[in-house]
Amino acid sequence: MNNNTPYRLVVVSGGTSDPSSTRLLADRIAARVETLTGERDSGITLTVIDLRELATEITTALVSQLMGTKMTKAVEALAAADGIIAAAPVYKAATSGLFTSFFHVLDNDLLIAKPVVLAATAGTARHALVVDEQMRSLFAYLRTMTVPTSLFASSEDWSDTDLNKRIDRAARELVLLMESGFAYKIRDESWGSYQHEFGSAGGSETSIDVDTDLMRLAAGGGVVNRHLLDRARAADL
C-alpha cells in the first residue's frame, strides 16, 4: 500500500460493560498503532465494532443466517480493513460467547491474510493462555495473519509498564504487516489457490467448475465415461 494513505483499522471489542477493560485495552493498542503510522507519514482511519451493541443481531445471524443492519455494516468494515484488533473478555477460562459467536457467523473467506492483533482481558492472570490456546486457533481457522505478540491484561497488569511494552511490540508488528500489503498480494496472486465455500466472501470466491462428474451428478445428470467419450471423439475425427 501507499504509505501516505491512511490504513483502515478496525477494532472488534467483545466487552459487555461500560466502561469496559476490554475496550480500554483495544483503544490503547489502536492509539499506539495510530502514533506509529503517523510517524511513518500514513496514519489510520478507525472503525470500532462494539459487540454489545450487536448482541441481538449476532444471535439472529447465528440461528437464521440473516444479517441485520449493524451486522452488515460490521462485515463491510472488516472486508475493507487493512488491519484488525480483536479484543475479548475471558470468562471461566474461555473467551465470551458473544465474541466467538460474532466470528462464527462471518464468511470463512472474509478475513483471509488480514493482519490481526489478538488481545484479551480477565480478572486474574490464570486466564493468560486463553489468547494463544483459543483465540489464535479460531483466527488460524479464518486464515488471518495474527501478529506474533499476544496481549493479555488482568487486573494487576494495568499498572505494569511491561503491558505498554507488549502493546508497543504488537502494534509495531501490525503496522509492518499492513505496510507489506500481504493481504492484497494474496487476493491478487493466490486467491484461487485457497479452498473456498460457494457463496462466501460476497461472491468473490473462486469460480466453480461445473463441468465435473460431481457437479453433473448434483444437477441430476450421470457420470461420463471419459475413456469411451475420448474414443468416440477420435472416431468422429
Side-chain angles (χ1 to χ4, degrees):
M1 289 188 61
N2 186 335
N3 288 339
N4 293 323
T5 303
Y7 295 103
R8 290 164 294 193
L9 180 64
V10 175
V11 167
V12 179
S13 173
T16 55
S17 60
D18 187 18
S20 162
S21 60
T22 303
R23 174 65 185 274
L24 176 61
L25 178 59
D27 286 346
R28 286 176 66 171
I29 303 166
R32 188 57 186 152
V33 172
E34 183 175 23
T35 299
L36 291 172
T37 53
E39 293 173 353
R40 303 162 90 94
D41 299 322
S42 51
I44 62 168
T45 59
L46 179 63
T47 300
V48 177
I49 301 173
D50 208 336
L51 297 187
R52 67 191 184 90
E53 298 177 358
L54 279 69
T56 302
E57 293 192 11
I58 291 172
T59 303
T60 300
L62 192 65
V63 300
S64 68
Q65 288 77 53
L66 297 176
M67 293 286 184
T69 303
K70 293 180 180 178
M71 276 294 297
T72 300
K73 289 181 178 179
V75 169
E76 291 173 348
L78 288 171
D82 299 309
I84 299 168
I85 298 169
V90 177
Y91 306 129
K92 299 181 180 179
T95 53
S96 70
L98 183 66
F99 180 87
T100 54
S101 294
F102 173 75
F103 286 98
H104 284 168
V105 300
L106 299 182
D107 287 331
N108 289 339
D109 298 340
L110 184 67
L111 304 179
I112 289 178
K114 289 185 182 290
V116 181
V117 172
L118 300 178
T121 59
T124 171
R126 289 185 300 166
H127 298 307
L129 291 178
V130 168
V131 183
D132 287 318
E133 289 186 345
Q134 297 184 22
M135 294 177 69
R136 195 171 290 277
S137 60
L138 169 61
F139 284 84
Y141 181 83
L142 294 172
R143 296 172 291 189
T144 65
M145 287 290 294
T146 53
V147 305
T149 300
S150 302
L151 293 172
F152 175 83
S154 60
S155 299
E156 58 267 27
D157 289 323
W158 294 103
S159 58
D160 190 342
T161 57
D162 284 343
L163 177 59
N164 287 332
K165 293 178 182 178
R166 296 196 301 273
I167 289 174
D168 177 75
R169 190 169 68 224
R172 287 181 185 276
E173 292 164 354
L174 182 66
V175 170
L176 291 173
L177 281 173
M178 290 193 298
E179 285 183 349
S180 74
F182 180 73
Y184 296 96
K185 293 175 183 177
I186 286 292
R187 286 187 172 267
D188 291 342
E189 300 182 23
S190 301
W191 185 251
S193 65
Y194 285 82
Q195 182 178 355
H196 301 275
E197 292 186 1
F198 181 64
S200 63
S204 63
E205 68 283 353
T206 187
S207 59
I208 294 178
D209 183 6
V210 296
D211 188 24
T212 65
D213 291 338
L214 182 61
M215 291 302 293
R216 276 189 289 272
L217 284 172
V223 175
V224 176
N225 188 316
R226 295 197 175 279
H227 178 66
L228 293 178
L229 181 60
D230 291 341
R231 289 180 61 185
R233 287 173 175 171
D236 289 340
L237 295 176

